[in-house]
Amino acid sequence: MISGKKVNGIRHVHEAPNVRTKINSHDDELVVKQSQQPDNSPLRACLLGRFVEDRFVYRQTFSIRSYEIGPDKTATMETLMNLLQETALNHVTSSGLAGNGFGATREMSLRKLIWVVTRIHIQVQRYSSWGDVVEIDTWVDASGKNAMRRDWIIRDYRTQDIITRATSTWVIMNRETRRLSKIPEQVRQEVLPFYLNTFAIDKEKTDVGKIDKLTDQTAGRIRSGLAPRWSDMDANQHVNNVKYIGWILESVPIHVLEDYNMTSMTLEYRRECRQSNLLESLTSTTASVTEDSNNNNKNKNSHNHNSSNNRKADLEYTHLLRMQADKAEIIRARSEWQSKDEH
Amino acid sequence: MISGKKVNGIRHVHEAPNVRTKINSHDDELVVKQSQQPDNSPLRACLLGRFVEDRFVYRQTFSIRSYEIGPDKTATMETLMNLLQETALNHVTSSGLAGNGFGATREMSLRKLIWVVTRIHIQVQRYSSWGDVVEIDTWVDASGKNAMRRDWIIRDYRTQDIITRATSTWVIMNRETRRLSKIPEQVRQEVLPFYLNTFAIDKEKTDVGKIDKLTDQTAGRIRSGLAPRWSDMDANQHVNNVKYIGWILESVPIHVLEDYNMTSMTLEYRRECRQSNLLESLTSTTASVTEDSNNNNKNKNSHNHNSSNNRKADLEYTHLLRMQADKAEIIRARSEWQSKDEH
């Protein structure tokens, strides 16, 4: 899902490592033997998640770890995205549908098809601290004729308050030809029983607006020479999807990173990136949203995400991550921020 | 522990975020109510770990997540170090000794003292894959008169094979004066009941040898211009300790990263690093260890760590991470590698 690669304009998820669910073969004192069903052990449920809501929703619980927090001592956006990815992949693995690819079903694997994410939108109401426990629910639904939607909700485990909502759009691609494909009927039949017609983010509050392409002329800030490290690579020798967020933030003013919380982010994936590529990060203020200067934008809804706060963002940015050599687009993004002082 | 900062030659661990152990106040279907003791719930044990072996050992279980694996589809060295750090911090938190600092005891906090790690040595027998479950044991012991040793063992949860061993040395520093301190008697009394005289790595198999300081003349490879990103910063606005490993690897030849497994690493922490500092990574082949050309090295034992393999490393490197501007040392390191083909 979040981790993948892309050719010809759309990201594709990579080949799967050998997924093994070993943890039931050795039960120690941690495991209360509630059930002898291998997949229902409490340890498995705790470490890998479990189905709830008549198997329409997959739920996994995480404690925020000491190394997953940023300078402000709360979980970073990268951490949230990593946890969403992990829950989604465990959902597919646990569904019994998993083929030989990250998130691909058996019928997809037979046809060399893979899911590729085209867009993800996340709204963060509150960031968790070290030791906090969060509960992530995820499910899938149809999205038009040839796409799938995956949504997530993150709750504070103690209070059960919803603290984050996210939604994403997926299409199918042939992993050899790199061409988009319709969803084959056999694949549709596999996934249909899992579809749940519920939206993590109300339709009128989601960000479906076009993200403008930044250029040298329109970007307020440009950071060049960003070099992916070996440790940024994923199992497919491509840049791990979540790492893009770190580079996007490199062209955001540091006082914003320090004094504001990112309350929403929309990522539109456009091209893969390998280690040898030098990157450029471009950021432009979309104007203070409270000035409502965005009436000419194609989607006004995109400027009022944070419904739960009942107030508009203090800052809105448009971002572009591109290759330094040929300026080819890798990812477009939009972010909204609120001052920490006002909370 | 691994995450910290350092002044005057030794790293110090940073101030703690507000550690809360909330997860017991809300039990759902996941939690088998084995015990009403808040700290003994299975969910807490699974997410944050628990004491075993008469409370001398702290144990935490982790599943390797999809985003914690590297290009070869196994957990990275950074991932292992992150998990060691997490287990160590949860050990201190769960001991009831925790003061207001990352890993500091109450008597230490009263005296503005903190633990600082000076050296860490890890031996990796086997790297885990996505979905594998590992079990980490950690404990502490005296180390000379004014230091503490912390050891770890990582087991494959299913087979209970030991797959990684690690040891580290800690001293005490005043967080305001940045001067080293003896261990006050009150602190010694706090930690003594936890001391366990067991070594994760046999004394004759550990790496206690001096790590030579590399220079422009002795380094075979130098990578300059490495720039810490905002997302590399920890809760203390210093570079997260584990991130150093990624920069160290930047000066290792890519064919080694691809074709060899790192079987051991020794890190010697010397100076803190903030975001504004540009870094240089230096690496030098210590010579092929099988040639036994290291007889003039001060500690021959350091060249035969991988006792469990009963064979020497194929490659050994010496590393230095330093400030680009004034060439001040941040960290010295040594690594050993074995060809993947021979496994």
Side-chain angles (χ1 to χ4, degrees):
Chain A
M1 183 229 82
I2 301 177
S3 225
K5 64 176 179 180
K6 191 222 125 207
V7 178
N8 298 334
I10 308 192
R11 309 194 90 247
H12 80 78
V13 287
H14 46 229
E15 303 310 297
N18 240 330
V19 183
R20 284 162 291 179
T21 313
K22 293 177 170 174
I23 64 171
N24 306 294
S25 53
H26 171 87
D27 282 355
D28 69 1
E29 72 276 25
L30 174 62
V31 183
V32 180
K33 290 194 174 97
Q34 182 185 33
S35 160
Q36 294 305 316
Q37 292 292 322
D39 283 355
N40 292 331
S41 81
L43 179 63
R44 188 194 187 288
C46 175
L47 291 176
L48 297 175
R50 66 207 183 281
F51 281 101
V52 295
E53 309 282 344
D54 290 330
R55 288 179 66 83
F56 284 113
V57 173
Y58 195 75
R59 177 173 296 170
Q60 189 164 359
T61 311
F62 299 91
S63 72
I64 303 299
R65 298 178 183 164
S66 53
Y67 56 89
E68 295 178 325
I69 58 175
D72 69 353
K73 303 184 183 177
T74 64
T76 62
M77 178 60 85
E78 288 95 322
T79 293
L80 297 184
M81 291 285 204
N82 278 330
L83 299 182
L84 298 185
Q85 165 186 321
E86 183 68 10
T87 309
L89 287 168
N90 286 331
H91 181 199
V92 176
T93 306
S94 300
S95 71
L97 291 183
N100 61 5
F102 250 44
T105 66
R106 278 195 294 265
E107 292 288 344
M108 288 172 68
S109 293
L110 289 175
R111 292 165 178 77
K112 301 179 179 170
L113 299 176
I114 51 178
W115 288 114
V116 298
V117 64
T118 56
R119 190 171 170 116
I120 184 165
H121 171 56
I122 182 168
Q123 298 181 359
V124 182
Q125 173 76 7
R126 184 157 57 79
Y127 286 92
S128 302
S129 303
W130 177 39
D132 285 357
V133 176
V134 298
E135 181 179 275
I136 304 186
D137 283 2
T138 188
W139 64 92
V140 290
D141 194 10
S143 173
K145 201 159 176 273
N146 279 303
M148 184 175 79
R149 202 185 78 244
R150 176 178 286 282
D151 283 7
W152 295 269
I153 279 181
I154 307 184
R155 288 188 177 83
D156 179 293
Y157 183 74
R158 187 179 59 85
T159 65
Q160 288 290 297
D161 290 340
I162 293 177
I163 56 177
T164 295
R165 299 166 186 271
T167 186
S168 58
T169 307
W170 300 77
V171 295
I172 281 182
M173 176 185 278
N174 183 297
R175 72 173 129 89
E176 292 185 349
T177 66
R178 305 313 197 205
R179 297 180 66 144
L180 292 188
S181 160
K182 292 187 177 180
I183 300 183
E185 188 51 33
Q186 296 91 335
V187 175
R188 195 184 307 279
Q189 292 305 322
E190 278 183 302
V191 294
L192 254 179
F194 290 90
Y195 280 0
L196 177 66
N197 184 24
T198 299
F199 291 81
I201 303 174
D202 290 346
K203 271 186 180 172
E204 65 272 18
K205 290 173 183 166
T206 195
D207 177 9
V208 292
K210 179 173 180 290
I211 302 178
D212 292 326
K213 177 179 177 179
L214 290 186
T215 64
D216 288 333
Q217 285 69 47
T218 56
R221 301 168 59 93
I222 302 184
R223 269 289 305 274
S224 297
L226 300 171
R229 305 168 197 156
W230 173 259
S231 56
D232 295 326
M233 298 299 113
D234 66 15
N236 219 17
Q237 257 112 108
H238 289 77
V239 171
N240 178 298
N241 228 327
V242 175
K243 303 280 172 140
Y244 292 125
I245 298 170
W247 290 311
I248 288 171
L249 296 184
E250 285 296 289
S251 58
V252 171
I254 194 143
H255 78 89
V256 172
L257 297 174
E258 286 173 342
D259 301 334
Y260 290 76
N261 282 319
M262 197 197 300
T263 51
S264 95
M265 189 169 215
T266 306
L267 300 167
E268 198 181 287
Y269 296 99
R270 301 178 80 88
R271 188 175 277 97
E272 70 177 337
C273 172
R274 288 174 173 273
Q275 194 187 15
S276 52
N277 300 123
L278 271 187
L279 306 181
E280 284 181 335
S281 173
L282 287 70
T283 286
S284 177
T285 311
T286 318
S288 170
V289 181
T290 47
E291 294 168 19
D292 223 343
S293 57
N294 298 288
N295 290 334
N296 55 344
N297 191 293
K298 292 196 174 75
N299 188 302
K300 287 177 68 177
N301 288 333
S302 68
H303 304 297
N304 189 14
H305 302 161
N306 301 290
S307 56
S308 37
N309 298 321
N310 286 319
R311 70 184 187 92
K312 294 180 178 178
D314 293 328
L315 296 170
E316 182 182 309
Y317 288 114
T318 302
H319 312 277
L320 175 67
L321 203 62
R322 69 184 185 191
M323 308 283 191
Q324 187 162 322
D326 63 2
K327 312 299 182 196
E329 291 185 281
I330 299 167
I331 192 167
R332 293 185 194 182
R334 173 160 40 232
S335 62
E336 293 189 336
W337 305 72
Q338 284 184 0
S339 168
K340 291 180 181 176
D341 288 341
E342 299 170 36
H343 276 64
Chain B
M1 184 227 87
I2 301 175
S3 227
K5 64 177 181 179
K6 190 225 127 205
V7 178
N8 296 334
I10 309 189
R11 308 191 93 248
H12 80 77
V13 287
H14 46 229
E15 303 309 298
N18 241 331
V19 184
R20 283 161 293 180
T21 313
K22 294 177 172 173
I23 63 171
N24 304 295
S25 53
H26 171 87
D27 281 356
D28 70 2
E29 71 275 25
L30 173 62
V31 182
V32 181
K33 291 196 175 94
Q34 185 186 30
S35 160
Q36 294 306 317
Q37 293 292 320
D39 282 354
N40 293 330
S41 83
L43 180 63
R44 189 197 186 285
C46 174
L47 292 176
L48 296 174
R50 65 207 183 281
F51 280 101
V52 295
E53 309 282 344
D54 290 331
R55 290 179 66 84
F56 283 113
V57 173
Y58 194 76
R59 177 173 296 170
Q60 190 165 0
T61 311
F62 299 91
S63 73
I64 302 299
R65 297 178 184 165
S66 53
Y67 56 88
E68 294 178 325
I69 59 176
D72 68 354
K73 303 183 183 178
T74 64
T76 62
M77 179 60 85
E78 290 94 321
T79 293
L80 298 184
M81 291 286 203
N82 278 331
L83 299 182
L84 298 185
Q85 165 185 322
E86 184 68 9
T87 309
L89 287 169
N90 286 331
H91 181 200
V92 176
T93 306
S94 299
S95 71
L97 292 183
N100 61 5
F102 251 44
T105 66
R106 278 194 294 266
E107 292 288 343
M108 288 171 70
S109 292
L110 289 175
R111 292 163 179 78
K112 300 177 179 173
L113 299 176
I114 52 178
W115 288 113
V116 299
V117 63
T118 57
R119 189 171 170 117
I120 184 164
H121 172 56
I122 182 167
Q123 298 181 0
V124 182
Q125 174 76 7
R126 183 157 58 78
Y127 286 92
S128 303
S129 303
W130 177 39
D132 285 357
V133 176
V134 297
E135 182 179 273
I136 304 185
D137 282 2
T138 188
W139 63 92
V140 290
D141 193 10
S143 172
K145 201 159 176 272
N146 279 303
M148 184 175 81
R149 202 185 77 245
R150 176 178 286 281
D151 282 8
W152 296 268
I153 279 180
I154 307 184
R155 288 188 178 84
D156 179 292
Y157 183 76
R158 187 178 60 85
T159 65
Q160 288 290 296
D161 291 340
I162 292 177
I163 56 177
T164 295
R165 300 166 186 270
T167 187
S168 58
T169 307
W170 299 77
V171 295
I172 281 183
M173 176 186 277
N174 183 297
R175 74 172 128 89
E176 292 186 348
T177 66
R178 304 315 197 204
R179 296 179 66 146
L180 293 187
S181 160
K182 293 187 176 180
I183 300 183
E185 188 51 35
Q186 295 89 337
V187 175
R188 192 184 309 278
Q189 292 305 321
E190 278 183 303
V191 294
L192 255 179
F194 290 90
Y195 280 0
L196 177 67
N197 184 25
T198 299
F199 291 81
I201 303 173
D202 291 347
K203 271 185 180 173
E204 66 271 20
K205 291 174 182 164
T206 195
D207 177 9
V208 293
K210 180 173 178 293
I211 302 177
D212 292 326
K213 178 179 177 178
L214 291 185
T215 64
D216 289 334
Q217 286 69 45
T218 56
R221 301 168 59 92
I222 302 184
R223 270 289 305 275
S224 297
L226 300 172
R229 305 168 197 155
W230 173 260
S231 56
D232 296 325
M233 299 299 113
D234 66 15
N236 218 15
Q237 259 110 106
H238 290 77
V239 171
N240 178 299
N241 228 330
V242 175
K243 304 280 172 139
Y244 291 125
I245 298 170
W247 290 310
I248 288 170
L249 297 184
E250 285 296 289
S251 57
V252 171
I254 194 142
H255 78 89
V256 173
L257 297 174
E258 286 172 344
D259 301 334
Y260 290 76
N261 282 319
M262 198 197 301
T263 51
S264 94
M265 189 169 215
T266 307
L267 301 168
E268 199 180 288
Y269 296 99
R270 302 179 79 87
R271 187 175 276 97
E272 69 175 336
C273 171
R274 288 174 172 272
Q275 193 186 16
S276 52
N277 301 123
L278 271 187
L279 306 182
E280 284 181 336
S281 173
L282 288 70
T283 286
S284 177
T285 310
T286 317
S288 169
V289 182
T290 47
E291 294 168 20
D292 225 340
S293 58
N294 299 288
N295 290 332
N296 56 345
N297 191 293
K298 294 196 174 73
N299 188 301
K300 286 178 69 176
N301 288 333
S302 69
H303 303 296
N304 190 14
H305 301 162
N306 301 291
S307 55
S308 37
N309 299 320
N310 286 319
R311 70 183 187 93
K312 294 180 178 180
D314 294 328
L315 296 171
E316 182 182 310
Y317 287 115
T318 303
H319 312 277
L320 175 65
L321 202 63
R322 68 183 185 192
M323 307 284 189
Q324 188 161 322
D326 63 2
K327 312 298 183 197
E329 290 185 281
I330 298 166
I331 191 167
R332 293 185 194 182
R334 173 161 37 232
S335 62
E336 293 189 335
W337 306 70
Q338 285 184 0
S339 168
K340 291 179 182 175
D341 289 342
E342 299 171 35
H343 277 62

